[in-house]
Amino acid sequence: MTDTAVRRFLHRDGHWVWLECVGRDLRGHEAIGGILVNSRDVSARVAAEQAREASIRALEESERNFRRLADHSTDLVRQYAPDGRLEYCSPNVRDLLGYSSEEMLSAGPFHLVYEDDRPALQQAFERRFHRRSELEKFEYRLRHKDGSLVWVETTFKAVYDPLTGKELAFNGTTRDIRQRKQAQLEVKAQLNRYRQLLDFTASLEQRTTRLELVQEVLHKCLFLTEYDYACAFDFSAGHLALLASAGTLPPALTTSLQDFQQLPFAEPVCTALRRREAYFIAPDAALLSPPEALPRAHWRSVCLLPIAQEGDLSVILVFGTDQDAAISQETRQLLPTVAARLSRALERSHHIEQLNTSREETLRALGLALEYRDYETKGHTDRVVDFTERLGRALGFGGDDLDALRWGAFLHDTGKVAIPDAILLKPGQLTPEEWAVIKRHPTIGYEMLHHIPSLPPITLEVVLYHQERWNGSGYPKGLSGSDIPLAARVFAVVDVYDALTSARPYKQAWTPAQAAEQLRREAGVLLDERVVQRFLDLLALEEGPLAPGAEDHHE
């Protein structure tokens, strides 16, 4: 018979050791008799078993504590098995997501996670099976039982066996961050609004015409306010006329707006307009008297914004929405500010327009004075300016460059004011010396004009180089080909054509067909062939195909 027992024994030095004793009864054996006991030291094994038991007890106690805390936590607590199955879900999931704990159990880790937010969470879960990771936080959206989205922040933590290091589970602690997210979104919206206001201010500085300014205000205000569509009505002539609109107007509005000037505004509205004050109208307030010709089913909340120009009512902006929208205090503060900015911008635009008109008239007057002094054919200045502008536009000139080209046409012969009458008005043939004086007029004109800061380079190029020729035979510098500025090449074609088709003391006026044929002969020799062809195309649109048969050109 054999028995085994594990007992503690006192070591000689005073500490206890665990021995595993195996005893065998040999008393029935005639040769040996007695009891045989074999002992071996199992202290390490017992210590390990005790440690494991203590660990299990601690883990069980920790689990009980975890459940007690989780059950009463304000945060949602979930515990997942290593394979991702949800093993535990705290009861407050009902408050956060509308589900019971039982409904959540056994669901995967991405259950209810909004589709756009899943990739980051999936990567995090994959990392947990490849390395020991620290706490990780994620902000994402969960789908509520009613279908709405709930912003949450979850901290994930893996739970490991302290002895083996094996992953036992991972816990997620989730809190509702909807209020924080809302605050962040509001701050972001305010920052975006501020940036838009800065862009708005800059964009108004870049717009020049009345229509451009009004359109910019309409589009920007729709972005910055609760309104969905808007219209601008011109009042400069004393009655309303539709000027511009923005947003998608409902069909019921598109026809009634054409007759907006006939609508009988209620007295409070008229009073606000006379005072140049913004007037905000709620869905249940009267806009018209008698109520209510305007289709309020589509245009519910309304704002009328009068825009003054030099004290007089110039434009009325009308903003509207087909929703029963509550108009914010920010909008009520913004739109009067916009009205003031637009008023100043319109006045600036008007002054610039007046200055441009004055400059245009001044340049034209100077061109006419030169025309009369040189006894040019009446209308030469206006003709070459008109042809130059049209040809320039056909060749891609636009905006400021087209203005500069037109001004060059006005001023091309400015230098002739310094040519003595005896030479300029001489009826006979000029001597070589006199011709040399005439050839100085482009340089003289440039010297007279290049100190004027408002004259752009293109204008000065026309003045200085309009007598250069494609083959290098022109003056004052003998430039050739594409070295001659394009603006000068454009004007040269127009100037030659007008000279050919105008009567002079020494010649009769050529017909358009004869002049066109002469331009064809000079194309690629004296004049830029591409410019000549584009000019002839323009003439063909007006005169029809120009038949050849011109006389020899006589300068």
Tab-separated table of all heavy atoms in Angstrom, residues 8 21 59 225 315 330 342 434 492 519 532:
chain	number	residue	atom	x	y	z
A	8	ARG	N	4.598	20.497	5.359
A	8	ARG	CA	5.692	21.438	5.619
A	8	ARG	C	6.585	20.891	6.736
A	8	ARG	O	6.092	20.371	7.735
A	8	ARG	CB	5.136	22.795	6.032
A	8	ARG	CG	4.663	23.648	4.878
A	8	ARG	CD	4.183	24.998	5.330
A	8	ARG	NE	2.988	24.889	6.180
A	8	ARG	CZ	2.374	25.931	6.714
A	8	ARG	NH1	2.863	27.151	6.514
A	8	ARG	NH2	1.299	25.755	7.452
A	21	CYS	N	5.856	13.603	0.318
A	21	CYS	CA	6.290	12.331	0.900
A	21	CYS	C	5.446	11.183	0.349
A	21	CYS	O	4.212	11.224	0.375
A	21	CYS	CB	6.145	12.360	2.425
A	21	CYS	SG	7.085	13.722	3.192
A	59	LEU	N	-8.221	37.884	-9.482
A	59	LEU	CA	-8.897	38.179	-10.746
A	59	LEU	C	-10.416	38.103	-10.576
A	59	LEU	O	-11.152	38.935	-11.097
A	59	LEU	CB	-8.433	37.190	-11.816
A	59	LEU	CG	-8.835	37.504	-13.262
A	59	LEU	CD1	-8.276	38.843	-13.687
A	59	LEU	CD2	-8.357	36.398	-14.202
A	225	THR	N	-25.989	83.184	-43.643
A	225	THR	CA	-27.245	83.373	-42.908
A	225	THR	C	-28.146	82.151	-43.072
A	225	THR	O	-27.794	81.184	-43.751
A	225	THR	CB	-27.990	84.620	-43.423
A	225	THR	OG1	-28.434	84.395	-44.772
A	225	THR	CG2	-27.109	85.851	-43.382
A	315	VAL	N	-30.545	100.386	-53.952
A	315	VAL	CA	-30.825	98.962	-54.164
A	315	VAL	C	-31.584	98.442	-52.942
A	315	VAL	O	-31.337	98.878	-51.816
A	315	VAL	CB	-29.514	98.163	-54.348
A	315	VAL	CG1	-29.809	96.665	-54.463
A	315	VAL	CG2	-28.757	98.638	-55.573
A	330	GLU	N	-26.935	86.773	-34.774
A	330	GLU	CA	-25.755	87.040	-35.612
A	330	GLU	C	-26.171	87.561	-36.989
A	330	GLU	O	-25.574	88.489	-37.528
A	330	GLU	CB	-24.918	85.764	-35.767
A	330	GLU	CG	-24.174	85.343	-34.524
A	330	GLU	CD	-25.050	84.548	-33.580
A	330	GLU	OE1	-26.249	84.358	-33.902
A	330	GLU	OE2	-24.552	84.117	-32.517
A	342	LEU	N	-21.711	97.441	-48.495
A	342	LEU	CA	-22.124	97.498	-49.895
A	342	LEU	C	-22.385	98.932	-50.317
A	342	LEU	O	-22.050	99.323	-51.446
A	342	LEU	CB	-23.372	96.647	-50.100
A	342	LEU	CG	-23.943	96.629	-51.524
A	342	LEU	CD1	-22.904	96.174	-52.536
A	342	LEU	CD2	-25.193	95.754	-51.602
A	434	GLU	N	13.311	116.363	-93.446
A	434	GLU	CA	11.955	116.525	-92.878
A	434	GLU	C	11.345	115.170	-92.495
A	434	GLU	O	10.669	115.050	-91.466
A	434	GLU	CB	11.064	117.242	-93.898
A	434	GLU	CG	11.464	118.697	-94.124
A	434	GLU	CD	10.736	119.320	-95.304
A	434	GLU	OE1	10.293	118.549	-96.211
A	434	GLU	OE2	10.597	120.561	-95.330
A	492	ALA	N	-1.155	98.807	-85.697
A	492	ALA	CA	-0.579	99.116	-87.009
A	492	ALA	C	-1.518	98.676	-88.129
A	492	ALA	O	-1.708	99.404	-89.122
A	492	ALA	CB	0.781	98.431	-87.154
A	519	LEU	N	-3.915	94.979	-97.548
A	519	LEU	CA	-3.483	94.359	-96.298
A	519	LEU	C	-2.979	92.937	-96.543
A	519	LEU	O	-2.005	92.496	-95.920
A	519	LEU	CB	-4.635	94.330	-95.285
A	519	LEU	CG	-5.082	95.672	-94.689
A	519	LEU	CD1	-6.222	95.457	-93.701
A	519	LEU	CD2	-3.919	96.385	-93.984
A	532	VAL	N	-3.479	90.453	-89.392
A	532	VAL	CA	-4.183	90.882	-90.608
A	532	VAL	C	-5.359	89.946	-90.882
A	532	VAL	O	-6.480	90.393	-91.179
A	532	VAL	CB	-3.226	90.915	-91.818
A	532	VAL	CG1	-4.007	91.086	-93.121
A	532	VAL	CG2	-2.218	92.044	-91.660
